């Protein structure tokens, strides 16, 4: 006996039940045990940032994909690693703590105390990692929970130290003094790849100022510049012109590029090169910094003529390119604002103002002093801090960099070996690798990897490569070193290896992408001589994990990863940082294959924002749609398009899954009535009693397995979903529909075949919807493997393609027949006289009975469809250019029906052959016929009715009415009845058929009514 199924599945309830079963039976452990020692398939998890206290639906997407492919590979017997990772350091963690403590600046953090601040940051990681673990388990993700890697582990940090020391040995580390993007709120510079994150560039309105600088040696003349950053004007030192461009002087003395003001009248014209060397008075020479500068016009080939005036304001302390120019032309560099983006004291009345606060006052002052030509507003995409959303500024800063030029060719070569899905993401990586600048790895923050750099006054840079080395060289402070972290690490001075003097660490911490990038080396034990049990539970990770630090042999076994997967944004982030670090250290890509995917938006296509109220907490989704439906939604998504996630699409998925559920329920209900007992032992046994339709379903099932296998191998879940949905449609709307009666009268071959097909299909979708698949498996397979996840992957036998094509064609004919019926507006139940099919293959002709039955027609003929009129019109965009003036003549010939139909959809008109894509073909039913066409296949339905057909239509309506009544009266599907019908003519003519189709043992004339016998 199967357990009876309710009308529809309660996803959340059955999922919690299955979770408990997995837990109780140790299903995951059994699976791993079974695969131990098998072929390996190496997956390395990208760490999730442990700064949120519940799983987000965004994160659940990636986690689902990871779980799907690990489950699939496990079904195929692969031995795998299941280590989850948490990212635990950096600005994301700090910002939450700052907010919760109400701290708004670095000064306030330092006043609060770095030790306590570090503890609070760790607390966030502890709470967040617990919540994310809970959510992931609920999602159905099978991981080695409790043995996770935490990037703030001393072990992870030591590996990055080692990396940095090796790079220093190669001369790739340097301190750069340059103008970089800077967040004034966070008080730190940002790296180029941080700027590439989603949401960094936001539309913003800035002042648009045209400002004129009076020339010192040309009285009454000015150079005019354009700027959108007024705060940089006090740091102006030069104005750049294009040496080859033409500049003109307006009557009022203002010099601008002629090309940008074509309508202006100019009284004098000069080449840019002739302007070079002119001196001018700066806009804020009344402030001390500006007063010491000799402002002059310089040449610059990069001056563009697309906006502004063709003369560019240069402030080397406030712009990257400006700073480079200062080196070429030996210009002074003014740095107007401090780390917090506020003007320094020497800027007089501006001191203490932020760059935005200063803007209005600067514009006002320029107006008073006659420097301002005009002021407006300029809207443009502008970079914002990815962490705190503050608009970034440029600021001069000393940062630590890894130079990339030497390794660039090797990176490109290695990337070319990686298999990227979708392919264009590999191209993006290639673009990035070609164009990226040196990697800025230092951040002026607190809770992060301490950069192990100890510069000495003697000029030597000491780089410490491990904790052991630190202990060896330390001059004290080791006893208080709780973790490799500020503030403790800052209290450990070391001896300079060059001159023996005491040196201290620089205060900077590292870019978080170093933390995640080292993972494929650190967590796998690269160059580690001896396996260290619980070796990852070091420093801040102590007590949070029992993960080991494996030895080098383990690394050899599992590196590189066979597969990694994250969203597209990670190309320049995690995909990049681990790639860079691995290629730098071991000369190989850390992954062979990547699955990237695009963004998640809400179901209406808008970004999800908490403040817009359109975010969905995963907990709500678990409770309302269930994890399987969420997973289905993620998996149905082509990875090259944005996912529109929400309850609307979930509803649609539930509806489609219900078709599958109903097919299983149909089997369960009738099997229980008829006493069918399947046997797992005979699951794939050859069966001589199968009918043609059964044989087809067996082949159709093989096709599903083959398609699903290909799709999983290509890491395209969307193709698994498509294959499954089309299979479900075939099972429900063809096999069951065509075989219904065989189930009413115990036909074992039908039961066995349907059972086989459903069980096999559960195995193909188990990785995607692990709960529902296991729930149904446990019901349908009672003497086989205890869980679908322990059943292994079905063999992908080559299906009988000819048979599959044959039935697919029959289904298409029936579908067209339905369309023809729909346009004729005849009821589905009304029997009709004739259907004519044209363009079908010979094989389809052997299915006349099924087609006739499905479409309720008395006869089906295969012939040229004479019942329709062919209308052919020219496809003008194609034919116009081809025929030219001849078009009119051909057009009227077509309209007059004066043409011959050739093969392959071509036509001949007046001696001209028209190709299939050059004409628009329409088939219209003649009077009394309804026609439908699909490609070369056409069906025509005779829509004329006679008395006999009408009577039979009435019969079928009545039968339907009775069966509805049976259901409404609460009768079981097998109950026999006494039936009264108010239609003597029908009873007289069709007594037996009525009795048969309504299970009536007695039939009387009278008011419609049923009575159980
Ligand atoms: Zn910031
Ligand atoms: Zn020294």
């Amino acid at each position: 006996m199967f357990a009876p199924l309710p009308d529809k599945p309660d996803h959340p309830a059955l999922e919690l039940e299955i979770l408990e079963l997995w837990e109780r039976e140790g299903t995951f452990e059994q699976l791993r045990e079974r695969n131990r020692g098998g072929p390996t398939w190496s997956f390395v998890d990208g760490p999730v940032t442990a700064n949120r206290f519940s799983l987000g639906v965004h994160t659940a997407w990636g986690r689902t994909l990871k779980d799907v492919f690990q489950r699939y590979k496990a079904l195929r017997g692969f031995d795998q690693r299941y280590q989850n990772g948490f990212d635990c350091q950096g600005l994301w963690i700090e910002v939450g703590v700052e907010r919760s403590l109400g701290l708004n600046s670095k000064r306030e953090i330092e006043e609060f105390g770095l030790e306590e601040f570090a503890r609070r940051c760790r607390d966030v990681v502890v709470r967040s990692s617990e919540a994310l673990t809970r959510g992931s388990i609920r999602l159905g993700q099978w991981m080695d929970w409790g043995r996770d890697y935490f990037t703030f582990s001393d072990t992870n940090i030591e590996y990055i130290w080692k990396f940095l020391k090796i790079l220093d040995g190669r001369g790739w580390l340097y301190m750069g003094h340059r103008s970089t993007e800077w967040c004034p709120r966070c008080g730190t510079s940002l790296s180029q790849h941080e700027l590439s994150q989603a949401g960094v560039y936001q539309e913003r309105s800035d002042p648009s100022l045209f400002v004129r600088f009076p020339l010192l040696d040309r009285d009454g003349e000015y150079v005019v510049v354009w700027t959108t950053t007024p705060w940089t004007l006090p740091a102006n030192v030069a104005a750049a012109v294009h040496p080859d461009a033409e500049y003109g002087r307006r009557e009022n003395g203002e010099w601008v590029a002629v090309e940008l003001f074509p309508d202006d009248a100019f009284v004098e014209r000069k080449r840019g090169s002739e302007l070079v060397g002119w001196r001018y008075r700066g806009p804020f020479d009344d402030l001390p910094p500006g007063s010491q500068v000799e402002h002059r016009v310089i040449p610059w080939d990069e001056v563009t003529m697309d906006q502004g005036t063709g003369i560019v304001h240069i402030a080397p302390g406030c712009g990257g390119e400006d700073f480079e120019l200062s080196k070429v032309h030996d210009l002074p560099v003014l740095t107007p604002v401090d780390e917090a983006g506020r003007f320094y004291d020497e800027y007089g009345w501006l001191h203490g103002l932020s760059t935005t606060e200063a803007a209005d006052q600067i514009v006002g002052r320029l107006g008073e002093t006659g420097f301002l030509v005009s002021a407006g507003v300029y809207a443009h995409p502008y970079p914002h801090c990815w962490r705190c959303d503050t608009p970034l500024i440029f600021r001069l800063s000393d940062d630590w960099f890894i130079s990339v030029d030497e390794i660039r060719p090797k990176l490109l070569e290695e990337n070319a070996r990686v298999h990227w899905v979708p392919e264009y993401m590999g191209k993006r990586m290639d673009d990035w690798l070609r164009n990226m600048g040196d990697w800025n790895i230092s951040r002026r923050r607190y809770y992060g990897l301490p950069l192990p750099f100890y510069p000495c006054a003697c000029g030597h840079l000491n780089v410490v490569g491990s904790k052991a080395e630190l202990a060896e060289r330390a001059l004290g402070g080791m006893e208080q070193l709780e973790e490799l972290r500020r503030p403790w690490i800052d209290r450990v001075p070391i001896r300079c290896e060059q001159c023996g003097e005491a040196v201290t660490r620089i205060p900077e911490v590292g870019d978080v992408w170093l933390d995640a990038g080292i993972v494929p080396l650190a967590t796998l034990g690269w160059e580690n001589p001896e396996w260290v049990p619980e070796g990852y539970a070091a420093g801040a990770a102590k007590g949070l994990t029992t993960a080991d630090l494996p030895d080098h042999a383990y690394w050899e076994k599992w590196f590189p990863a066979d597969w990694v997967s994250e969203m597209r944004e990670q190309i320049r982030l995690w995909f990049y940082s681990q790639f860079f670090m691995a290629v730098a250290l071991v000369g190989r890509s850390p992954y062979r294959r990547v699955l990237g995917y695009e963004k998640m938006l809400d179901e209406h296509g808008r970004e999800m924002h908490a403040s817009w109220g359109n975010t969905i907490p995963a907990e709500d989704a678990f409770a309302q749609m269930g994890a399987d439906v969420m997973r289905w939604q993620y998996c149905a998504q082509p990875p090259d398009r944005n996912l529109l996630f929400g309850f609307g699409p979930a509803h649609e998925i539930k509806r489609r899954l219900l078709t599958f559920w109903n097919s299983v329920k149909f089997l369960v209900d009738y099997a229980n009535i008829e006493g069918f007992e399947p046997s797992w032992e005979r699951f794939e046994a050859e069966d001589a009693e199968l009918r043609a339709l059964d044989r087809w379903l067996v082949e159709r099932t093989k096709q599903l397995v083959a398609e699903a296998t290909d799709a999983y191998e290509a890491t395209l879940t969307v193709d698994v979903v498509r294959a499954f949905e089309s299979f479900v449609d075939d099972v429900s709307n063809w096999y069951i529909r065509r075989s219904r009666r065989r189930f009413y009268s115990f036909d074992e071959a039908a039961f066995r075949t349907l059972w086989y097909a459903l069980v096999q299909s559960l195995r193909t979708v188990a990785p995607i919807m692990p709960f529902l698949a296991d729930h149904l498996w446990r019901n349908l397979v009672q003497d086989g493997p205890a869980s679908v996840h322990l059943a292994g992957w079905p063999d992908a036998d080559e299906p009988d393609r000819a048979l599959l094509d044959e039935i697919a064609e029959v289904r298409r004919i029936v579908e067209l027949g339905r369309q023809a019926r729909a346009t004729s507006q005849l009821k589905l139940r009304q029997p009709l006289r004739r259907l004519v099919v044209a363009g079908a293959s010979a094989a389809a002709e052997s299915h006349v009975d099924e087609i006739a039955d499905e479409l309720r027609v008395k006869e089906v003929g295969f012939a040229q469809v004479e019942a329709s009129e062919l209308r052919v019109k020219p496809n003008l965009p194609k034919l116009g250019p081809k025929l030219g003036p001849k078009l009119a003549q051909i057009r009227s010939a077509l309209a007059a029906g004066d043409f011959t139909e050739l093969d392959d959809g071509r036509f001949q008109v007046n001696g001209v052959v028209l190709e299939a894509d050059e004409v628009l073909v329409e088939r219209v039913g003649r009077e009394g016929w309804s026609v439908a066409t699909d490609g070369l296949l056409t069906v025509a339905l005779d829509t004329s009715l006679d008395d006999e057909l009408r009577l039979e239509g009435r019969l079928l309506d009545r039968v339907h009415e009775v069966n509805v009544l049976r259901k409404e009266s609460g009768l079981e599907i097998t109950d026999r009845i006494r039936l009264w019908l108010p239609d003597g003519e029908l009873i007289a003519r069709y007594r037996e058929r009525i009795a048969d189709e309504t299970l009536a043992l007695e039939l009387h004339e009278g008011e419609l009514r049923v009575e159980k016998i």
Side-chain angles (χ1 to χ4, degrees):
M1 274 290 274
F2 298 125
L5 297 180
D7 284 341
K8 58 183 186 196
D10 179 346
H11 289 280
L14 73 85
E15 287 167 6
L16 293 176
E17 225 168 85
I18 290 288
L19 278 173
E20 207 185 296
L21 283 171
W22 288 345
E23 175 79 33
R24 195 182 331 135
E25 296 173 4
T27 313
F28 179 44
E29 289 69 27
Q30 285 186 53
L31 177 68
R32 295 187 67 183
E33 192 47 51
R34 164 184 309 211
N35 291 342
R36 212 176 301 282
T40 58
W41 191 70
S42 177
F43 165 71
V44 172
D45 184 38
V48 57
T49 307
N51 70 329
R52 270 179 288 159
F53 303 110
S54 67
L55 186 70
V57 289
H58 300 77
T59 314
W61 183 7
R63 305 213 136 202
T64 295
L65 293 176
K66 291 169 182 179
D67 188 57
V68 164
F69 291 102
Q70 287 214 280
R71 281 178 183 269
Y72 166 71
K73 288 291 179 179
L75 286 171
R76 305 214 69 158
F78 284 88
D79 193 357
Q80 295 175 65
R81 301 178 67 250
Y82 291 91
Q83 189 176 37
N84 169 75
F86 291 111
D87 217 355
C88 319
Q89 306 186 119
L91 290 172
W92 276 121
I93 310 290
E94 286 191 33
V95 74
V97 174
E98 278 178 67
R99 286 204 181 122
S100 70
L101 293 172
L103 305 178
N104 280 314
S105 68
K106 286 165 70 170
R107 190 176 46 82
E108 288 177 18
I109 295 174
E110 287 178 18
E111 280 168 11
F112 177 77
L114 290 192
E115 212 163 307
E116 186 55 22
F117 187 71
R119 294 213 168 87
R120 301 285 181 111
C121 289
R122 184 179 184 275
D123 285 349
V124 167
V125 172
V126 173
R127 281 189 295 136
S128 171
S129 60
E130 285 167 2
L132 293 173
T133 299
R134 264 196 313 276
S136 307
I137 291 173
R138 176 63 187 85
L139 180 68
Q141 193 184 14
W142 272 352
M143 288 298 249
D144 208 355
W145 304 112
R147 296 176 68 79
D148 322 80
Y149 69 81
F150 286 75
T151 60
F152 64 12
S153 162
D154 277 2
T155 308
N156 209 66
I157 290 170
E158 279 195 85
Y159 261 98
I160 301 167
W161 281 13
K162 178 172 177 164
F163 163 79
L164 293 170
K165 190 169 177 88
I166 290 171
L167 263 51
D168 181 49
R170 292 183 196 162
W172 292 2
L173 284 183
Y174 70 92
M175 193 179 75
H177 175 73
R178 60 174 70 169
S179 194
T180 61
E181 278 93 348
W182 184 278
C183 174
R185 205 219 70 92
C186 297
T188 186
S189 60
L190 285 91
S191 72
Q192 205 184 347
H193 56 243
E194 284 172 306
L195 293 173
S196 68
Q197 294 179 95
V200 165
Y201 278 85
Q202 300 171 19
E203 201 64 17
R204 175 182 143 97
S205 291
D206 276 313
S208 161
L209 303 184
F210 287 89
V211 180
R212 58 187 199 177
F213 300 151
L215 292 167
L216 290 182
D217 307 311
R218 301 175 70 93
D219 230 17
E221 296 184 19
Y222 312 84
V223 283
V224 182
V225 300
W226 176 67
T227 182
T228 58
T229 50
W231 69 273
T232 62
L233 287 169
N236 173 274
V237 300
V241 294
H242 195 292
D244 300 330
E246 190 185 19
Y247 290 84
R249 177 163 60 85
R250 295 171 178 147
E251 195 137 19
N252 65 5
E254 293 172 358
W255 286 90
V256 293
V258 170
E259 189 182 334
L260 279 155
F261 300 92
D263 302 332
D264 284 15
F266 294 104
V267 294
E268 185 183 357
R269 290 173 189 241
K270 281 182 184 296
R271 289 267 125 217
S273 54
E274 296 177 76
L275 274 58
V276 171
W278 288 1
R279 297 178 309 127
Y280 63 87
R281 190 147 61 80
F284 290 95
D285 284 359
D286 50 344
L287 299 176
S291 68
Q292 288 154 34
V293 175
E294 194 187 44
H295 306 271
R296 59 193 164 96
V297 176
I298 58 166
W300 189 24
D301 287 339
E302 304 296 317
V303 172
T304 57
M305 295 295 161
D306 45 11
Q307 57 188 2
T309 64
I311 306 179
V312 180
H313 147 60
I314 302 294
C318 314
E321 290 171 316
D322 303 41
F323 183 72
E324 294 309 314
L325 278 174
S326 77
K327 291 200 252 179
V328 177
H329 295 283
D330 197 21
L331 302 173
V333 178
L334 302 184
T335 307
V337 296
D338 64 13
E339 284 200 349
R342 296 188 176 275
F343 276 89
Y344 283 117
D345 289 352
E346 64 260 36
Y347 284 83
W349 53 274
L350 285 166
H351 86 95
L353 295 180
S354 74
T355 54
T356 33
E357 288 163 357
D360 280 351
Q361 304 197 30
I362 286 172
V363 176
R365 183 60 166 247
L366 292 171
E368 289 165 19
T369 53
F371 277 77
L372 188 67
V373 176
S374 66
V377 172
Y378 182 66
H380 58 153
Y382 189 86
H384 289 64
C385 176
W386 57 273
R387 180 193 78 139
C388 72
D389 237 17
T390 304
L392 299 179
I393 59 174
F394 265 91
R395 188 173 177 275
L396 206 61
S397 137
D398 290 334
D399 288 300
W400 289 87
F401 288 87
I402 297 173
S403 77
V404 301
D405 280 338
E406 198 174 321
I407 198 179
R408 196 190 308 272
K410 181 69 184 163
L411 292 173
L412 288 165
E413 191 186 314
E414 278 302 304
N415 182 48
R417 282 188 236 281
V418 176
H419 182 109
W420 286 83
V421 177
E423 217 180 306
Y424 67 85
M425 292 194 189
K427 177 76 178 66
R428 295 239 174 142
M429 176 65 127
D430 186 86
D431 286 347
W432 163 250
L433 294 174
R434 279 175 205 283
N435 298 310
M436 66 179 179
D438 289 351
W439 183 355
N440 176 347
I441 56 167
S442 58
R443 302 289 179 276
R444 289 152 197 271
R445 296 294 306 184
Y446 307 102
Y447 200 72
L449 151 86
L451 289 174
F453 302 160
Y454 297 74
C456 179
C458 77
H460 180 68
L461 173 66
N462 295 274
V463 178
V464 172
S466 69
K467 204 167 167 178
E469 187 189 338
L470 181 73
E472 202 182 290
R473 297 172 61 181
L475 295 170
M478 284 304 286
E479 72 295 338
Q480 55 82 54
L481 187 64
E482 290 182 25
E483 300 168 13
L484 292 181
R485 180 177 314 290
R486 300 185 71 184
W488 304 287
I489 185 85
D490 296 339
R491 301 174 192 145
V492 185
I494 64 166
R495 195 174 294 290
C496 172
E497 59 196 345
Q498 192 83 19
C499 70
E501 285 299 309
V503 282
T504 52
R505 199 185 74 83
I506 58 163
E508 281 89 338
V509 297
D511 178 6
V512 285
W513 297 106
L514 291 168
D515 300 342
I518 200 68
V519 158
L521 297 144
T523 63
L524 303 181
W526 175 65
E527 288 196 345
N528 182 41
E530 225 165 292
W531 191 292
V532 186
E534 303 203 7
Y536 240 85
K542 211 174 283 173
L544 294 181
T545 178
T546 56
D548 298 342
L549 170 61
D551 59 12
H552 189 76
Y554 183 87
W555 181 83
E556 290 281 0
K557 181 175 177 185
W558 295 101
F559 183 95
D562 288 300
W563 184 69
V564 291
S565 175
E566 304 291 336
M567 66 191 306
R568 171 171 56 87
E569 197 188 37
Q570 297 293 335
I571 289 173
R572 295 178 178 192
L573 302 173
W574 188 59
F575 290 145
Y576 165 68
S577 68
Q578 60 161 323
F579 183 75
F580 184 96
M581 293 172 94
V583 174
L585 291 181
V586 304
R588 270 193 291 161
S589 164
Y591 41 77
R592 294 197 168 98
R593 191 181 178 103
V594 182
L595 170 63
Y597 46 93
E598 291 289 340
K599 271 200 307 196
M600 179 186 288
L601 303 172
D602 77 5
E603 59 187 86
H604 307 293
R606 293 183 312 158
E607 300 266 354
M608 286 188 181
H609 286 297
S611 56
W612 295 356
N614 65 345
T615 53
I616 301 176
E619 267 134 53
D620 290 0
F622 290 141
Q624 289 180 49
M625 54 179 101
D628 275 335
V629 174
M630 290 167 73
R631 294 172 65 115
W632 198 261
Q633 204 168 154
Y634 299 138
C635 290
Q637 181 60 31
D640 57 353
R641 265 172 278 159
N642 292 334
L643 165 60
L644 308 188
F645 185 86
F647 290 104
H651 187 75
E652 175 58 22
I653 289 166
K654 278 189 182 171
R655 201 183 55 75
R656 272 179 282 155
L657 288 179
L658 196 58
T659 308
F660 178 64
W661 177 268
N662 284 337
S663 298
V664 179
K665 182 172 162 54
F666 176 83
L667 174 75
V668 164
D669 287 350
Y670 284 96
N672 286 347
I673 292 165
E674 306 285 339
F676 166 69
E677 298 273 352
S679 147
W680 177 250
E681 221 161 82
R682 290 194 52 204
F683 183 61
E684 286 183 288
E686 289 288 320
D687 198 327
E689 287 157 40
L690 295 192
R691 298 211 207 157
L693 194 59
D694 303 332
R695 279 201 305 279
W696 167 76
L697 183 57
V698 170
E699 296 306 315
R700 184 64 186 84
T701 307
K702 285 187 196 165
Q703 183 187 9
L704 168 68
V705 172
E707 286 174 355
T709 307
D710 289 349
Y712 281 119
E713 290 298 328
T715 59
L716 286 175
T717 50
V718 51
D719 290 347
V720 181
V721 167
R722 281 179 190 146
F724 180 75
E725 287 183 343
S726 129
F727 172 80
V728 168
D729 179 56
D730 274 343
V731 169
S732 168
N733 292 322
W734 192 250
Y735 183 79
I736 293 181
R737 217 183 128 78
R738 301 291 321 140
S739 319
R740 223 169 257 279
R741 284 168 180 277
R742 297 169 63 200
F743 289 90
Y744 302 160
S745 56
F746 187 53
D747 178 337
E748 208 187 338
F751 276 102
R752 264 209 312 274
T753 308
L754 180 57
W755 177 73
Y756 164 81
L758 293 174
V759 165
Q760 206 70 326
S761 70
L762 286 175
R763 298 165 82 180
T764 66
V765 289
I768 292 179
M769 46 173 200
F771 297 103
L772 188 67
D774 212 16
H775 177 76
L776 294 175
W777 173 276
R778 284 162 186 264
N779 194 5
L780 292 186
V781 184
Q782 294 170 1
D783 60 342
S787 162
V788 67
H789 306 292
L790 297 173
W793 186 251
D795 292 331
D797 295 333
E798 183 52 27
D800 180 342
R801 300 279 171 193
L803 176 57
L804 292 171
D805 290 349
E806 185 177 319
I807 302 298
E809 187 178 14
V810 172
R811 288 212 63 193
R812 260 173 74 215
I813 293 170
V814 169
E815 203 35 59
L816 284 177
R818 293 216 177 94
Q819 276 176 34
R821 210 180 239 284
T823 46
S824 75
Q825 299 187 335
L826 285 163
K827 267 195 292 193
L828 231 82
R829 274 191 296 277
Q830 175 60 58
L832 294 172
R833 188 60 61 199
R834 232 171 357 138
L835 177 81
V836 183
V837 181
S841 71
E845 295 188 27
S846 60
H847 295 273
V848 167
D849 293 347
E850 286 153 277
I851 296 168
D853 188 42
E854 279 294 314
L855 293 173
R856 292 228 164 84
V857 293
K858 300 289 172 195
E859 49 175 279
V860 176
F862 287 84
Q864 202 50 41
V865 174
E866 301 291 342
S868 69
E869 235 176 320
L870 193 59
R871 288 190 197 151
V872 182
K873 291 179 192 160
N875 182 2
L876 292 176
K878 289 246 170 197
L879 263 194
K882 175 174 166 174
L883 297 178
K886 249 179 118 179
L887 179 68
Q889 176 207 344
I890 297 289
R891 189 184 204 162
S892 52
L894 286 173
D898 203 1
F899 55 81
T900 321
E901 189 172 2
L902 305 175
D903 55 354
D904 295 333
R906 295 175 309 148
F907 292 89
Q908 186 162 20
V909 194
N910 287 0
V912 179
V913 173
L914 306 181
E915 299 297 327
D917 62 343
E918 291 169 346
V919 288
L920 306 170
V921 179
E922 202 183 10
R923 282 180 204 273
V924 187
R926 294 222 170 99
E927 186 62 26
W929 289 84
S930 181
V931 175
T933 304
D934 173 19
L936 300 177
L937 199 61
T938 300
V939 304
L941 202 55
D942 181 351
T943 54
S944 53
L945 298 179
D946 52 34
D947 288 347
E948 202 191 336
L949 288 171
R950 283 197 193 91
L951 186 65
E952 201 181 339
R954 221 161 84 208
L955 162 77
L956 295 178
D957 280 345
R958 280 297 183 198
V959 167
H960 176 71
E961 238 175 293
V962 172
N963 283 329
V964 168
L965 189 60
R966 283 184 58 109
K967 220 175 191 169
E968 284 170 2
S969 319
L971 293 171
E972 294 293 325
I973 37 188
T974 48
D975 285 341
R976 302 306 198 252
I977 54 166
R978 228 170 253 122
L979 172 63
W980 285 263
L981 273 186
D983 196 328
E985 193 188 358
L986 272 187
I987 296 174
R989 181 76 196 274
Y990 293 111
R991 174 173 286 275
E992 246 175 76
R993 209 166 141 189
I994 295 169
D996 190 36
E997 294 191 12
T998 61
L999 298 189
L1001 298 183
E1002 289 176 22
L1003 188 47
H1004 311 283
E1005 190 172 346
E1007 192 81 348
L1008 177 68
R1009 141 174 109 87
V1010 298
E1011 201 176 279
K1012 188 180 166 183
I1013 293 183

